[in-house]
Every structure is written in structure tokens, then in C-alpha cells.
Amino acid sequence: MRIILFDGVCNVCDASVRFILKRDGGIFHFASLQSEVGQQLVKQYHLQGIDSVVLIEHHQAYTKSTAALHIAKSLQGFWRFLYIAIVVPRPIRDRLYAFVAKNRYKWFGQKEVCMLLSKEQQARFLS
């Protein structure tokens, strides 16, 4: 199972999850970092203190820019070609990721309500 952990109160994360849902062909499952399942996976993969997107696939956890690029690689259409950015050294990619992550609440705010999902989409969320 391929699982994406995300910040459940972040507007950017919410928009990203919606974006992925439309383009992943149903391959990912989702859990917020704040959920019980999310917290169990954080402990299982030793990710305490993480506040970035996490991709868990093949019993390995990817974080920050590496997670985002692996997710992009699995999307339909042009988005998969963004994976070429993996050649940029991780410290550089993660610095850019951290800059956006640090400012995401200030720039985009926080959610006050949960997203509405279809039954098919709801089945892909772990609780």
C-alpha cells in the first residue's frame, strides 16, 4: 500500500491531496499526520517531529522534496516528468521545500472545515 501522510489543517496540503486524488489513478491512500493512523505510522517509521508530506511505499518512508517528487512520478500526465528534479541535490531541494513549508500557514492559512469527498475518495483515507 502506498500511503501519503499530510498536515490535516494546512490549506496547501489540502489542495495537494485534492490534486493527487484527481491524477493518481487510485494508487495512493491518505492519512493526516494528526490522525490516529498517521501517528501510528509516524512512530513506526521514526518520524517524530515531522511536519512535511510523507510518502510510505515498499516499507520505506520518504519526506519533504523526495516524497513530493516520488508522488509526482506516480501521477498521470505531465506531472510525472517533474521527477527529473531528483537530480538536484537533496539539501538544495529540501531547503526550497522548507522555505515553503515554513511559510505555508502565513501565505495560505489553515483549514477550519474538513474537505468533502466522494465515497470512492473516502475509501482511500485511513482512519
Side-chain angles (χ1 to χ4, degrees), residues 21-45:
L21 281 166
K22 291 180 183 178
R23 293 165 180 84
D24 76 340
I27 64 170
F28 292 115
H29 287 82
F30 302 88
S32 75
L33 286 165
Q34 295 84 359
S35 71
E36 189 175 318
V37 169
Q39 286 300 297
Q40 288 172 354
L41 290 167
V42 163
K43 287 179 187 170
Q44 180 180 345
Y45 287 92

Side-chain angles (χ1 to χ4, degrees), residues 4-125:
I4 295 173
L5 300 177
F6 64 97
D7 181 346
V9 297
C10 168
N11 281 329
V12 173
C13 301
D14 178 70
S16 298
V17 167
R18 289 181 179 279
F19 182 87
I20 294 165
L21 281 166
K22 291 180 183 178
R23 293 165 180 84
D24 76 340
I27 64 170
F28 292 115
H29 287 82
F30 302 88
S32 75
L33 286 165
Q34 295 84 359
S35 71
E36 189 175 318
V37 169
Q39 286 300 297
Q40 288 172 354
L41 290 167
V42 163
K43 287 179 187 170
Q44 180 180 345
Y45 287 92
H46 310 288
L47 300 167
Q48 285 77 6
I50 195 79
D51 68 345
S52 78
V53 67
V54 177
L55 171 64
I56 299 172
E57 66 178 350
H58 309 298
H59 305 288
Q60 181 163 355
Y62 300 98
T63 62
K64 300 181 182 180
S65 65
T66 304
L69 291 173
H70 278 271
I71 293 166
K73 180 174 76 170
S74 299
L75 299 179
Q76 299 167 347
F78 164 80
W79 305 104
R80 65 181 49 168
F81 297 108
L82 293 176
Y83 185 73
I84 196 160
I86 201 81
V87 301
V88 174
R90 191 171 86 196
I92 294 169
R93 287 186 280 115
D94 281 351
R95 229 176 282 140
L96 177 61
Y97 184 97
F99 176 73
V100 173
K102 178 181 175 186
N103 292 291
R104 70 186 186 264
Y105 295 141
K106 180 170 60 175
W107 295 341
F108 304 104
Q110 290 180 287
K111 288 184 351 171
E112 307 233 352
V113 295
C114 294
M115 64 176 101
L116 297 175
L117 303 168
S118 70
K119 287 204 182 275
E120 295 88 23
Q121 290 172 330
Q122 287 176 13
R124 295 175 55 199
F125 282 75

